[in-house]
Every structure is written in structure tokens, then in C-alpha cells.
Amino acid sequence: MDFEHADALNQAIRLLSLRHRARAASLLAPLGLHTGQEALLLELDRTGPMIQAQLSEALGCEPPSVTLMTRKLEAGGHIRRTPAPSDKRASIVELTDSGKALADQVKQLWCALAEETVGGLPAETVAELPGILKTLTDNVDTRRPTTQAAPARSSAVRSPSKAS
Amino acid sequence: MDFEHADALNQAIRLLSLRHRARAASLLAPLGLHTGQEALLLELDRTGPMIQAQLSEALGCEPPSVTLMTRKLEAGGHIRRTPAPSDKRASIVELTDSGKALADQVKQLWCALAEETVGGLPAETVAELPGILKTLTDNVDTRRPTTQAAPARSSAVRSPSKAS
DNA sequence: GCATAATAGTTATGTGCATAATCAATGTGT
DNA sequence: ACACATTGATTATGCACATAACTATTATGC
């Protein structure tokens, strides 16, 4: 691939990151949230109480990030952290009532943001977009076990990834 | 759009941002660069000397970010800042020889990253990907003042007023 | 000419994210 | 039983990004 195309792609991803994040920030600000925190609330709302290590895995960010985010959300009264009885190292994180209400509001914003984001695109493109983005993500994901240790270069490493 | 689909989309964009950035960081680290700095170098390499306000516009980030990034790149010897003769407020930013050499290395990495990113996708999808991403970006771009005279907005301009 | 607005840049501050180092608790091997 | 690695979480530090407030220069109105 020549540099022109490569740069167009990388730059497009970079700019989409910046703008989508900025737009999310402007929508979340009235709720007193910063970008990233909404993902934590939504994950707790979806999965229920869980320990920070699980949150770290689900959110795709590192434990120190989870520590800081949970601390701020706890200070805001949206989540509660209680020591896990079975493992004294871990703390169980769960939504408070305020957090649940907030998560519901976030859901609304999230739908509006998604619609705004894909506006003007054909429906079929919209339909396959999540899959495409996930493929891109997996391709550059250094966290996951890469699904193979083979020295295969630029071959289609389409693993039959079963849902985890 | 229901929440399931909306979240899949928003989350996919969020994760792609995180992973693509992380992957770029691991590639740029050996060059002594952090993500974001490469965009500045590439822009200077492409366009030539320019003032920070132009850089801010081209990179899509705010002037204070440019101030800090240019300061660090200048400390690293990759760029040079000279006061503009015509306007005493502005400073002209340009690549040093070291910066030009670095930009060339970045170009190589950039091609490798792009290829890695789109690995396993059909060629036609890859071809239209930059355009799709740009559409998404423009849809949520709060910087540029709409600029679209709405020539062919197919569906959903249903809420031109505030959505929330 | 001069007050005022607009622009280029910086500083201060706050956020999410990262890595590295550290501590406490839990596993595991011999 | 005990040394050792592993795991959950935190602290310290650094970066890119943001906004708000500020200085210095340039442009504009009267």
C-alpha cells in the first residue's frame, strides 16, 4: 500500500477518534460525565456487579485507568465499591440508583449519537459497519492473544472467533 | 436505532480508537515519538513550513495541544520554530533535517500500520473505507460550521433542532 | 489617532489513557 | 510448610487531548 492511501486511512481513524470523542463529550457533559465513564456505566448496567479486573477487560483499558475512573464515579455517587468476600484483594463495583438512572440517560444519548454518526450512509453500509470496525480493531489489538503465533504475513487470519 | 445497535457502533469506534492508537504508539516508540506527534511531522512534510494556527487546523486539535507538541518536538530536535517576519505573533514551524528523516521513517510505519489494520478485509471495502470514515467524522464534527448545504442527505435529518 | 475587536500563542488546569513500580492477597510447586 | 509466581488494586509519572483565562500583536471602526 502506498503512503497516500495508508495516510488517508490512518488519519481518518485518528480524526474519527478525536471528533467522535469530542461529540460524545459535549453530549455527556450535561450529565456531568466525561468520555470513557459512560462505557463503564453501560458495562455495569449490562453485566451487573463485577470486579475492577473484569471491568478493565470489558472496557479494554488498563487497571490504573479503571482505578481512577471508578474513584471519580464513586465520588459522584454513581457507583459503589464494596470489598469482595471471596477475595480480599478485589472490590466489587456496582451501580447505585443514581448510576442506574444515569445509565438510562446515557443510553438515550448513545442512540442519538449513533444515528448522528451514520447519518447519510446507506443502510447496508450502516449494517456492516460494526463488523468492519471490529475487524480493524482486532487486527491491531495487542491485548488479545492474536489467535495464532504463526509467522503468516498479511494472510487472511480470519479465526472462527466464538463469542466470549 | 435501538440501543443494542447504537452501542455496538459507538463502542466499536471507541475500541478502534484505543487499539489503533495503542498499536501506533508501539510502532512509534522506537523512534522516540508519541502518537499525535507523527501527524504533526507528516503534515509539515506534506505541506512545508507553516504557522501553528495552520497546524492546529490541519491536525484537528486545539492550539494549546499544538503548543505542547511543538515544544516537545523542538526539544527533540525534529522541528524548528522561527518568528514570522510578517506577523510578530506567529511562529513558523518547519522540519529540521532530523525531522525530515524521521518523517520518512514514519511514512514506512504508516504504510505497515494501514496494511495491518485492514488485513483480511475485501479490497473493495478497503477502498471505500476512508470515505466512510470521513463521512462519520464529518457527521460528528463540531469544529467546522456544518458547511454542508445538504445536497443529498438521504435519511434522517428529522431533528435539525437540538436532539435532546 | 485611538479605542476596540480579532487573532497567534501561551499558561493553568483537568480528563482519559498508558507504563512502571509497589503492596496485599491468592495460588502453586516441591 | 514455605518459597515463589500470579493476580487485584493502587500510586507515580507522562502524554495527547480539552477548555478557560491571559498576553501580545494585528486589524478595524470612528
Side-chain angles (χ1 to χ4, degrees):
Chain A
M1 187 184 296
D2 60 79
F3 171 69
E4 296 266 332
H5 289 102
D7 188 52
L9 201 252
N10 291 328
Q11 194 75 3
I13 293 176
R14 188 189 109 93
L15 266 187
L16 175 59
S17 303
L18 283 178
R19 295 288 152 261
H20 188 264
R21 187 183 185 84
R23 184 69 184 124
S26 73
L27 291 173
L28 292 170
L31 303 182
L33 291 176
H34 292 86
T35 44
Q37 299 180 341
E38 90 289 340
L40 204 159
L41 292 182
L42 290 177
E43 181 61 31
L44 284 178
D45 185 74
R46 180 186 310 124
T47 312
M50 55 206 300
I51 69 174
Q52 293 184 196
Q54 292 172 313
L55 268 176
S56 168
E57 176 65 27
L59 299 182
C61 58
E62 300 299 317
S65 303
V66 176
T67 293
L68 298 178
M69 290 166 65
T70 52
R71 180 180 300 165
K72 279 157 191 164
L73 286 172
E74 187 179 36
H78 306 310
I79 65 174
R80 177 173 33 234
R81 290 196 295 175
T82 58
S86 59
D87 190 334
K88 290 191 187 112
R89 299 166 297 179
S91 49
I92 299 175
V93 184
E94 60 186 335
L95 290 177
T96 62
D97 289 344
S98 157
K100 284 174 194 161
L102 203 53
D104 285 339
Q105 291 185 275
V106 169
K107 286 188 198 174
Q108 307 253 9
L109 290 186
W110 234 220
C111 291
L113 175 58
E115 287 178 14
E116 179 181 337
T117 302
V118 299
L121 284 178
E124 67 171 341
T125 302
V126 174
E128 50 191 358
L129 200 46
I132 294 175
L133 296 180
K134 188 179 187 317
T135 300
L136 300 178
T137 302
D138 288 345
N139 281 342
V140 292
D141 196 343
T142 52
R143 275 162 76 94
R144 300 177 104 91
T146 325
T147 63
Q148 100 294 7
R153 296 180 67 88
S154 72
S155 61
V157 254
R158 305 289 301 213
S159 70
S161 60
K162 51 193 70 176
S164 58
Chain B
M1 187 185 296
D2 59 79
F3 171 69
E4 295 266 332
H5 289 101
D7 187 52
L9 202 254
N10 291 328
Q11 194 75 5
I13 293 176
R14 188 188 110 91
L15 266 188
L16 174 60
S17 304
L18 283 178
R19 295 287 152 262
H20 189 264
R21 187 183 185 83
R23 183 69 183 125
S26 73
L27 292 173
L28 293 170
L31 303 183
L33 291 177
H34 292 85
T35 45
Q37 300 181 339
E38 89 289 339
L40 205 159
L41 293 181
L42 291 176
E43 182 59 32
L44 285 178
D45 185 74
R46 180 186 311 123
T47 311
M50 54 207 298
I51 69 174
Q52 293 183 197
Q54 292 172 313
L55 268 175
S56 168
E57 176 64 26
L59 299 181
C61 58
E62 300 299 319
S65 303
V66 176
T67 293
L68 297 179
M69 289 166 64
T70 52
R71 180 180 300 167
K72 278 158 192 163
L73 286 172
E74 187 180 35
H78 305 311
I79 65 174
R80 177 173 32 235
R81 290 197 296 175
T82 57
S86 60
D87 191 335
K88 288 188 189 121
R89 298 168 298 181
S91 50
I92 299 175
V93 185
E94 61 187 335
L95 290 176
T96 62
D97 289 344
S98 156
K100 284 174 193 160
L102 204 53
D104 285 338
Q105 291 185 276
V106 170
K107 286 188 197 173
Q108 307 252 12
L109 289 186
W110 233 220
C111 290
L113 176 58
E115 287 178 13
E116 179 181 337
T117 303
V118 298
L121 283 178
E124 66 171 342
T125 303
V126 174
E128 51 191 357
L129 200 47
I132 294 175
L133 296 180
K134 187 178 187 320
T135 299
L136 300 177
T137 303
D138 289 344
N139 281 342
V140 293
D141 196 344
T142 51
R143 285 192 132 213
R144 49 214 306 162
T146 37
T147 62
Q148 294 285 353
R153 296 238 276 228
S154 63
S155 66
V157 200
R158 299 191 297 269
S159 55
S161 62
K162 59 173 188 171
S164 55

PDB file of all heavy atoms in Angstrom, chain B residues 104-117:
ATOM      1  N   ASP B 104      10.281  10.374   7.149  1.00  0.00           N
ATOM      2  CA  ASP B 104      10.388   9.276   6.187  1.00  0.00           C
ATOM      3  C   ASP B 104      10.202   7.930   6.872  1.00  0.00           C
ATOM      4  O   ASP B 104       9.544   7.036   6.331  1.00  0.00           O
ATOM      5  CB  ASP B 104      11.762   9.326   5.489  1.00  0.00           C
ATOM      6  CG  ASP B 104      11.821  10.442   4.455  1.00  0.00           C
ATOM      7  OD1 ASP B 104      10.746  10.875   3.999  1.00  0.00           O
ATOM      8  OD2 ASP B 104      12.932  10.873   4.111  1.00  0.00           O
ATOM      9  N   GLN B 105      10.771   7.809   8.057  1.00  0.00           N
ATOM     10  CA  GLN B 105      10.588   6.554   8.791  1.00  0.00           C
ATOM     11  C   GLN B 105       9.135   6.361   9.188  1.00  0.00           C
ATOM     12  O   GLN B 105       8.598   5.260   9.128  1.00  0.00           O
ATOM     13  CB  GLN B 105      11.477   6.549  10.040  1.00  0.00           C
ATOM     14  CG  GLN B 105      12.957   6.458   9.730  1.00  0.00           C
ATOM     15  CD  GLN B 105      13.787   6.337  11.003  1.00  0.00           C
ATOM     16  OE1 GLN B 105      14.119   7.331  11.636  1.00  0.00           O
ATOM     17  NE2 GLN B 105      14.093   5.117  11.388  1.00  0.00           N
ATOM     18  N   VAL B 106       8.519   7.465   9.582  1.00  0.00           N
ATOM     19  CA  VAL B 106       7.113   7.388   9.973  1.00  0.00           C
ATOM     20  C   VAL B 106       6.266   6.925   8.797  1.00  0.00           C
ATOM     21  O   VAL B 106       5.341   6.125   8.951  1.00  0.00           O
ATOM     22  CB  VAL B 106       6.610   8.751  10.494  1.00  0.00           C
ATOM     23  CG1 VAL B 106       5.102   8.742  10.657  1.00  0.00           C
ATOM     24  CG2 VAL B 106       7.280   9.092  11.810  1.00  0.00           C
ATOM     25  N   LYS B 107       6.595   7.410   7.619  1.00  0.00           N
ATOM     26  CA  LYS B 107       5.832   7.007   6.427  1.00  0.00           C
ATOM     27  C   LYS B 107       5.855   5.495   6.250  1.00  0.00           C
ATOM     28  O   LYS B 107       4.833   4.883   5.922  1.00  0.00           O
ATOM     29  CB  LYS B 107       6.421   7.682   5.190  1.00  0.00           C
ATOM     30  CG  LYS B 107       6.116   9.153   5.076  1.00  0.00           C
ATOM     31  CD  LYS B 107       6.581   9.665   3.711  1.00  0.00           C
ATOM     32  CE  LYS B 107       6.692  11.173   3.686  1.00  0.00           C
ATOM     33  NZ  LYS B 107       7.296  11.650   2.419  1.00  0.00           N
ATOM     34  N   GLN B 108       7.012   4.922   6.468  1.00  0.00           N
ATOM     35  CA  GLN B 108       7.120   3.467   6.340  1.00  0.00           C
ATOM     36  C   GLN B 108       6.198   2.779   7.350  1.00  0.00           C
ATOM     37  O   GLN B 108       5.415   1.888   7.003  1.00  0.00           O
ATOM     38  CB  GLN B 108       8.571   3.033   6.616  1.00  0.00           C
ATOM     39  CG  GLN B 108       9.592   3.768   5.779  1.00  0.00           C
ATOM     40  CD  GLN B 108      10.186   2.873   4.703  1.00  0.00           C
ATOM     41  OE1 GLN B 108       9.678   1.782   4.460  1.00  0.00           O
ATOM     42  NE2 GLN B 108      11.242   3.348   4.064  1.00  0.00           N
ATOM     43  N   LEU B 109       6.320   3.217   8.602  1.00  0.00           N
ATOM     44  CA  LEU B 109       5.486   2.623   9.646  1.00  0.00           C
ATOM     45  C   LEU B 109       4.010   2.805   9.332  1.00  0.00           C
ATOM     46  O   LEU B 109       3.196   1.913   9.583  1.00  0.00           O
ATOM     47  CB  LEU B 109       5.784   3.279  10.995  1.00  0.00           C
ATOM     48  CG  LEU B 109       7.128   2.975  11.641  1.00  0.00           C
ATOM     49  CD1 LEU B 109       7.179   3.598  13.018  1.00  0.00           C
ATOM     50  CD2 LEU B 109       7.342   1.480  11.714  1.00  0.00           C
ATOM     51  N   TRP B 110       3.709   3.963   8.767  1.00  0.00           N
ATOM     52  CA  TRP B 110       2.313   4.290   8.494  1.00  0.00           C
ATOM     53  C   TRP B 110       1.720   3.335   7.471  1.00  0.00           C
ATOM     54  O   TRP B 110       0.581   2.911   7.584  1.00  0.00           O
ATOM     55  CB  TRP B 110       2.213   5.732   8.026  1.00  0.00           C
ATOM     56  CG  TRP B 110       1.247   6.542   8.804  1.00  0.00           C
ATOM     57  CD1 TRP B 110       0.395   7.472   8.318  1.00  0.00           C
ATOM     58  CD2 TRP B 110       1.034   6.519  10.221  1.00  0.00           C
ATOM     59  NE1 TRP B 110      -0.344   8.025   9.349  1.00  0.00           N
ATOM     60  CE2 TRP B 110       0.028   7.457  10.513  1.00  0.00           C
ATOM     61  CE3 TRP B 110       1.582   5.793  11.276  1.00  0.00           C
ATOM     62  CZ2 TRP B 110      -0.444   7.686  11.807  1.00  0.00           C
ATOM     63  CZ3 TRP B 110       1.115   6.014  12.559  1.00  0.00           C
ATOM     64  CH2 TRP B 110       0.131   6.944  12.809  1.00  0.00           C
ATOM     65  N   CYS B 111       2.511   2.989   6.478  1.00  0.00           N
ATOM     66  CA  CYS B 111       2.056   2.030   5.474  1.00  0.00           C
ATOM     67  C   CYS B 111       1.863   0.659   6.111  1.00  0.00           C
ATOM     68  O   CYS B 111       0.851  -0.015   5.872  1.00  0.00           O
ATOM     69  CB  CYS B 111       3.062   1.943   4.329  1.00  0.00           C
ATOM     70  SG  CYS B 111       3.131   3.425   3.292  1.00  0.00           S
ATOM     71  N   ALA B 112       2.823   0.269   6.915  1.00  0.00           N
ATOM     72  CA  ALA B 112       2.726  -1.032   7.575  1.00  0.00           C
ATOM     73  C   ALA B 112       1.498  -1.088   8.475  1.00  0.00           C
ATOM     74  O   ALA B 112       0.764  -2.087   8.481  1.00  0.00           O
ATOM     75  CB  ALA B 112       3.992  -1.302   8.386  1.00  0.00           C
ATOM     76  N   LEU B 113       1.260  -0.011   9.205  1.00  0.00           N
ATOM     77  CA  LEU B 113       0.111   0.027  10.111  1.00  0.00           C
ATOM     78  C   LEU B 113      -1.203  -0.054   9.339  1.00  0.00           C
ATOM     79  O   LEU B 113      -2.108  -0.793   9.722  1.00  0.00           O
ATOM     80  CB  LEU B 113       0.147   1.304  10.951  1.00  0.00           C
ATOM     81  CG  LEU B 113      -1.049   1.533  11.873  1.00  0.00           C
ATOM     82  CD1 LEU B 113      -1.214   0.361  12.830  1.00  0.00           C
ATOM     83  CD2 LEU B 113      -0.900   2.839  12.648  1.00  0.00           C
ATOM     84  N   ALA B 114      -1.284   0.677   8.237  1.00  0.00           N
ATOM     85  CA  ALA B 114      -2.514   0.663   7.443  1.00  0.00           C
ATOM     86  C   ALA B 114      -2.782  -0.730   6.892  1.00  0.00           C
ATOM     87  O   ALA B 114      -3.916  -1.215   6.934  1.00  0.00           O
ATOM     88  CB  ALA B 114      -2.420   1.688   6.313  1.00  0.00           C
ATOM     89  N   GLU B 115      -1.744  -1.372   6.406  1.00  0.00           N
ATOM     90  CA  GLU B 115      -1.926  -2.716   5.867  1.00  0.00           C
ATOM     91  C   GLU B 115      -2.355  -3.684   6.961  1.00  0.00           C
ATOM     92  O   GLU B 115      -3.236  -4.517   6.772  1.00  0.00           O
ATOM     93  CB  GLU B 115      -0.627  -3.194   5.215  1.00  0.00           C
ATOM     94  CG  GLU B 115      -0.347  -2.502   3.890  1.00  0.00           C
ATOM     95  CD  GLU B 115       0.977  -2.944   3.280  1.00  0.00           C
ATOM     96  OE1 GLU B 115       1.546  -3.951   3.750  1.00  0.00           O
ATOM     97  OE2 GLU B 115       1.436  -2.272   2.348  1.00  0.00           O
ATOM     98  N   GLU B 116      -1.702  -3.547   8.088  1.00  0.00           N
ATOM     99  CA  GLU B 116      -2.057  -4.404   9.216  1.00  0.00           C
ATOM    100  C   GLU B 116      -3.508  -4.166   9.631  1.00  0.00           C
ATOM    101  O   GLU B 116      -4.239  -5.116   9.948  1.00  0.00           O
ATOM    102  CB  GLU B 116      -1.115  -4.106  10.390  1.00  0.00           C
ATOM    103  CG  GLU B 116      -1.397  -4.911  11.640  1.00  0.00           C
ATOM    104  CD  GLU B 116      -0.442  -4.543  12.774  1.00  0.00           C
ATOM    105  OE1 GLU B 116       0.662  -4.031  12.482  1.00  0.00           O
ATOM    106  OE2 GLU B 116      -0.811  -4.764  13.947  1.00  0.00           O
ATOM    107  N   THR B 117      -3.904  -2.910   9.593  1.00  0.00           N
ATOM    108  CA  THR B 117      -5.240  -2.545  10.066  1.00  0.00           C
ATOM    109  C   THR B 117      -6.348  -3.155   9.212  1.00  0.00           C
ATOM    110  O   THR B 117      -7.348  -3.649   9.730  1.00  0.00           O
ATOM    111  CB  THR B 117      -5.395  -1.011  10.087  1.00  0.00           C
ATOM    112  OG1 THR B 117      -4.381  -0.449  10.909  1.00  0.00           O
ATOM    113  CG2 THR B 117      -6.765  -0.614  10.617  1.00  0.00           C
TER     114      THR B 117
END
